[in-house]
Amino acid sequence: MSVRAESLKLYRDILRASKMFTWRNPQGELWSEVLHKNARFEFEQARFESDPLVVARMLVVGRDALNQTTDRFMAAAKAVNDNIDKTRTS
């Protein structure tokens, strides 16, 4: 897979994952929009990086961060659902 294709895939995966964050931050902005803006900013900043090792490192770190974030989100969502099931009265 080319670096461009891998970068685009990571960017799209980040945007997809950001849609899970449906609550607002203390400033009243949706977290999904904040994450979308930050992802866009990060990718724009890295757009003209020409060192292949730096680009590869950014992709690996970005993918790892996305995986960790989604794993934590899913674990927290499961914990909430388990707690709801445990405390629900018939």
Side-chain angles (χ1 to χ4, degrees), residues 19-84:
K19 291 178 184 178
M20 295 186 300
F21 296 84
T22 58
W23 56 93
R24 295 184 181 277
N25 68 7
Q27 293 75 34
E29 299 174 283
L30 282 173
W31 270 112
S32 58
E33 292 175 8
V34 172
L35 294 170
H36 182 273
K37 283 188 257 184
N38 286 339
R40 179 69 182 198
F41 178 77
E42 291 286 332
F43 276 81
E44 286 295 329
Q45 291 294 310
R47 173 181 250 172
F48 299 107
E49 182 58 57
S50 58
D51 185 346
L53 291 176
V54 172
V55 172
R57 186 176 330 127
M58 286 189 292
L59 288 170
V60 168
V61 169
R63 177 62 62 188
D64 185 52
L66 176 61
N67 289 341
Q68 287 183 26
T69 301
T70 54
D71 289 348
R72 288 180 188 160
F73 183 90
M74 297 310 287
K78 183 181 180 332
V80 167
N81 286 334
D82 290 347
N83 189 41
I84 289 171

